[in-house]
Every structure is written in C-alpha cells, then in structure tokens.
Amino acid sequence: MIGQLTGLVGQVENERCIIDVNGVGYVVSASTRTLSVLPRPPEVARVLVETVVREDAIQLFGFATSEERDWFRLLTTVQGVGAKVALAILSVGSAGELLLGINAGDKTTFTRAAGVGPRLAERILTELRNKVAKMPGGGTAAPAMGIVSGPSVENDALLALAGLGFRRAEAWPILSRVLTENENATLDLAIRLSLKELAR
C-alpha cells in the first residue's frame, strides 16, 4: 500500500495531479484544497496518500495534511459517500467547517458539494455526529490560502509543512528566511518557497 509520495509535480488538472517519483508518474486524485497548495510543476512535493484497491483498479487519493486524510477516511465510512464525493465535500468545506456543520446539524454544509443531496447530507449528519469528537485535533480548521504575510501566515505555514511531514526544527529556519526575503508573501507562496528549499 502507498502511504506517501515525494516527487516532482507533473500535470495538475481539476481533480487530480501527477507526481513523478524517479521517472514513474503516479496519478493522484485530490481535493481542490490540496491541489491549490501544491508547488508549480516541476517542483518537488510531498503528498500523503490513501490507496484504494478495487477489483478493476488501484486508485491513489492525495492530501496536503493528515487531518484532511482523516476526514476523507471518516466521510467514506458513510453509506453512499464514495471517494469522489468525499473529495467534493473536502473541496467545499475545511475540516473546521465540516465539524461545525455536523455539530449544528446544518445540511447545507454538505449539499454545496457535487453529488450530495439533502437525503445524503442527512445521513452524513446522523452517522458522523457521534464520531467527530474522536477526530485528531478535534477537527480544527485548515488555514486559509492567500492571506498576506503576518504572524498567522508564519504559524499556518508551519502547520502545513508539519502536515507534509517536515519537522518544525527543519522547517522553521527556512520558513523564517523565506518570510524575511518576501515580506508580503501569501501563505501559498510561503509554503511553496519553503518546500522548494526543503526538497534540496
């Protein structure tokens, strides 16, 4: 089973990307949130992977953070929520928004996603209401992309890099230098430039 891929980012499409690992291109399906924080091709990225094996195919689903992967696993335990629908839900709602939606019993949190109607949304709320409390980190919200550099960008970038498998001790010096050299860097840019340095 494949649990993580580190390689060059190839083609990035609406719902998937290609990660080139030593000349082998792996097709990885992902949410728009994960795809939006990937570095530009052909830079190096580290992606957490959930491998789904079926009789007719082996599919790889990629995540920028372990939290998003945990939510994917949780969502796919609900009858009627397959991998594609789970990614659609993760594309329209952050972990924090999903948690709030479930606790508030708000169907619209889920009906915004393609493939989720009112009945399926109700089933998601019913089946996950008692499970979300066990989620690692309590389902805290993922950092928003595109925020201009500041104290929150520094913290959120460190969290994102930690989610990609980098230790704080190795990520902090590089991130600090990136933010010093690029005063108005957005969170997305700070993460991409840091990843470029960390991959060397």
Side-chain angles (χ1 to χ4, degrees), residues 168-185:
R168 187 183 181 92
E170 65 177 331
W172 163 241
I174 290 173
L175 174 63
S176 179
R177 187 171 72 249
V178 164
L179 292 177
T180 299
E181 295 173 355
N182 302 272
E183 287 185 23
N184 295 317

Side-chain angles (χ1 to χ4, degrees), residues 124-155:
I124 293 170
L125 294 175
T126 302
E127 293 190 21
L128 298 188
R129 191 167 287 122
N130 295 325
K131 296 180 179 180
V132 291
K134 301 175 183 177
M135 291 294 290
T140 51
M145 296 300 130
I147 299 174
V148 175
S149 181
S152 63
V153 170
E154 181 180 298
N155 293 333

Side-chain angles (χ1 to χ4, degrees), residues 25-44:
Y26 293 87
V27 178
V28 180
S29 298
S31 70
T32 56
R33 287 176 183 274
T34 287
L35 293 175
S36 70
V37 298
L38 287 178
R40 294 180 181 177
E43 294 182 20
V44 175

Side-chain angles (χ1 to χ4, degrees), residues 21-173:
V21 182
N22 297 324
V24 178
Y26 293 87
V27 178
V28 180
S29 298
S31 70
T32 56
R33 287 176 183 274
T34 287
L35 293 175
S36 70
V37 298
L38 287 178
R40 294 180 181 177
E43 294 182 20
V44 175
R46 183 181 301 182
V47 181
L48 299 175
V49 171
E50 183 76 0
T51 305
V52 176
V53 180
R54 296 196 173 94
E55 290 184 9
D56 58 343
I58 297 175
Q59 294 178 290
L60 304 179
F61 299 93
F63 309 94
T65 65
S66 58
E67 183 179 56
E68 187 185 34
R69 183 176 60 183
D70 290 340
W71 273 94
F72 174 84
R73 290 171 174 170
L74 183 66
L75 288 166
T76 52
T77 64
V78 178
Q79 182 183 356
V81 178
K84 186 175 182 179
V85 171
L87 288 182
I89 292 171
L90 291 168
S91 292
V92 300
S94 68
E97 289 168 339
L98 299 183
L99 180 68
L100 288 172
I102 290 171
N103 288 334
D106 183 12
K107 292 182 186 178
T108 59
T109 301
F110 299 93
T111 54
R112 290 181 297 155
V116 181
R119 292 178 69 180
L120 181 54
E122 181 64 39
R123 188 181 304 140
I124 293 170
L125 294 175
T126 302
E127 293 190 21
L128 298 188
R129 191 167 287 122
N130 295 325
K131 296 180 179 180
V132 291
K134 301 175 183 177
M135 291 294 290
T140 51
M145 296 300 130
I147 299 174
V148 175
S149 181
S152 63
V153 170
E154 181 180 298
N155 293 333
D156 290 346
L158 279 174
L159 285 172
L161 292 169
L164 291 170
F166 294 101
R167 290 178 292 109
R168 187 183 181 92
E170 65 177 331
W172 163 241

